[in-house]
Amino acid sequence: MLISVVIPHFNQEAYLRRCLETLHAQQGCRAEREIIVVDNASNELPEAACKAFPGVRLLSEKTPGPGPARNTGAQAAKGDVLAFIDADCHADPGWLAAIETAFALPDREIIGGDVRVDYADPARPTFIEPYEAIYSYRNEKYIAHGFSGTGNLAMRPDILKHVGPFAGVGVAEDRDWGLRAGALGYRIDYIDDMIVYHPARNSFSELTGKWGRHIAHDFRDQASGLSGKLRWVAKAAALAVSPLIEIPTIIRSARLHGGKERALAFLCLVLIRLYRSAAMLRTLVTAGWRRPKNDWSRS
C-alpha cells in the first residue's frame, strides 16, 4: 500500500516544518508513503522546510483556497490512499498506522479522525484553548452529520474522482465535499485513533470571524422562505440560553483539566454563543427581511 499525504500550505512555514517532522516520525506504519506539499501563492515558497525532509514534493497552485491546493496534490499523487492534513496541524505518531489499518478493509471508502487542540503551554491555558478543546474541530460530530473536516481526512483516489474536486474559497469545502459524497452513496467512517493536533485560535476575534463565515453559509442554506426564517429566529434564541445546558459537558470533559480550564471554557462559550445569536439575527435583518431594491435602483 502507498499512502499519499497531501498538505495545502499558505504562509505557515513554521507550522509546516513541524507537520513534516511529525510525518517523518510516524510509528507502526508499514505502508510506503509520499508527502506532497502544495503551496497556495504564499509570499515565499516553503522550499527550506520541504528540503529539510527527504522525499517531500513541493508543488504550487495559484487558485486561492486550500480546496484547489488539495485538488492539485491529489492529481499528482500516486498512492492507493489519499490522506489530507493541514499545514498548521501536526500528526499523532500513530496517524498513518491508523489510516493503514482502516484501509486494510477492502470496503473502506472514506475516513476522518479526531482533531484535538494543541495547547501552546499546557500549564498556562489561554482564554480560547479550553473552549476549543471541547467545542471546535468536533470531527466525530461532523462525520455523524455527513462530512469530515478536510484537515484529517483520507479516501481512495477513485472516490475523489467520482465525487469531484474540493471547492474553492467562499464555500465550506469540507461540508460541501462530504455531502456530495454522501449523496452518491459513500460512507464516511470515524476512526478515533487517527489523531491530528490543531493550534487554538489566537484571539476571540478570530473565533467570531470563523462563526461569521459559518453563519453566512448557513443562512443561504437554511433560511429560505417564511418557515426557514422562523426556524432561524428560534435557533438564534436557543443559542443564547444554550450554555446552561452545556455545564455538565464542561464538568465531565476529559479534554479539560482542573477548575480554571473549565471556568475559561464556560466563559468563552457564553460569549461566543451570545455573539452567534446576535449575528444570526443581524444577518436575518440585513439580508433576509430587507426590502429588495428594484432593477432601476441606483442607490
Side-chain angles (χ1 to χ4, degrees):
M1 179 187 294
L2 173 63
I3 301 175
S4 297
V5 181
V6 176
I7 311 170
H9 171 267
F10 178 68
N11 289 335
Q12 294 177 312
E13 187 164 355
Y15 279 126
L16 174 63
R17 185 179 291 270
R18 188 180 185 198
C19 180
L20 293 174
E21 286 174 354
T22 61
L23 291 175
H24 279 80
Q26 291 291 291
Q27 302 172 4
C29 179
R30 294 172 294 178
E32 296 182 25
R33 75 289 305 261
E34 64 173 356
I35 299 174
I36 302 171
V37 175
V38 185
D39 186 74
N40 196 214
S42 295
N43 296 332
E44 184 177 343
L45 284 172
E47 293 177 315
C50 293
K51 288 179 179 178
F53 300 93
V56 176
R57 297 166 61 192
L58 176 59
L59 306 178
S60 181
E61 171 54 59
K62 301 298 185 184
T63 305
R70 289 188 185 94
N71 297 333
T72 295
Q75 290 169 4
K78 301 176 182 177
D80 307 293
V81 172
L82 293 172
F84 298 96
I85 186 171
D86 287 344
D88 59 350
C89 295
H90 69 271
D92 182 80
W95 186 66
L96 283 175
I99 294 172
E100 178 186 33
T101 299
F103 282 101
L105 299 175
D107 61 344
R108 187 75 75 182
E109 298 173 335
I110 309 167
I111 61 174
D114 190 9
V115 180
R116 300 182 184 178
V117 169
D118 182 29
Y119 282 41
D121 180 357
R124 301 177 63 184
T126 69
F127 178 63
I128 305 295
E129 286 169 342
Y131 164 83
E132 292 220 279
I134 304 180
Y135 293 106
S136 295
Y137 318 116
R138 303 167 76 179
N139 216 28
E140 185 173 12
K141 179 180 178 181
Y142 301 157
I143 289 172
H145 286 85
F147 66 95
S148 171
T150 40
N152 192 11
L153 174 70
M155 68 191 71
R156 299 190 189 275
D158 58 328
I159 294 177
L160 180 59
K161 291 178 182 177
H162 186 205
V163 175
F166 297 103
V169 294
V171 176
E173 41 125 359
D174 46 9
R175 180 169 59 180
D176 170 75
W177 192 90
L179 295 181
R180 283 192 282 127
L184 293 173
Y186 292 112
R187 183 185 73 251
I188 305 176
D189 295 316
Y190 176 75
I191 308 297
D192 60 5
D193 56 351
M194 177 186 171
I195 302 167
V196 303
Y197 296 88
H198 193 292
R201 290 167 179 84
N202 293 318
S203 66
F204 191 75
S205 62
E206 288 185 21
L207 198 56
T208 57
K210 181 202 82 164
W211 279 113
R213 293 188 295 273
H214 280 297
I215 288 168
H217 293 146
D218 290 345
F219 183 79
R220 291 194 296 266
D221 296 339
Q222 301 174 14
S224 61
L226 179 60
S227 62
K229 291 178 173 59
L230 291 175
R231 286 193 298 270
W232 186 261
V233 171
K235 182 178 178 180
L239 270 173
V241 298
S242 64
L244 297 175
I245 302 171
E246 297 292 331
I247 291 175
T249 298
I250 292 173
I251 292 173
R252 294 193 299 261
S253 176
R255 298 197 177 196
L256 299 179
H257 305 283
K260 179 180 179 180
E261 287 193 22
R262 298 178 201 283
L264 288 172
F266 181 70
L267 179 57
C268 189
L269 174 68
V270 170
L271 294 178
I272 198 63
R273 294 271 172 103
L274 290 175
Y275 166 83
R276 289 172 58 190
S277 178
M280 289 177 68
L281 296 176
R282 184 169 59 249
T283 300
L284 180 64
V285 170
T286 59
W289 279 339
R290 181 177 55 194
R291 176 175 294 185
K293 298 177 182 178
N294 62 54
D295 292 339
W296 295 97
S297 174
R298 295 291 186 271
S299 60

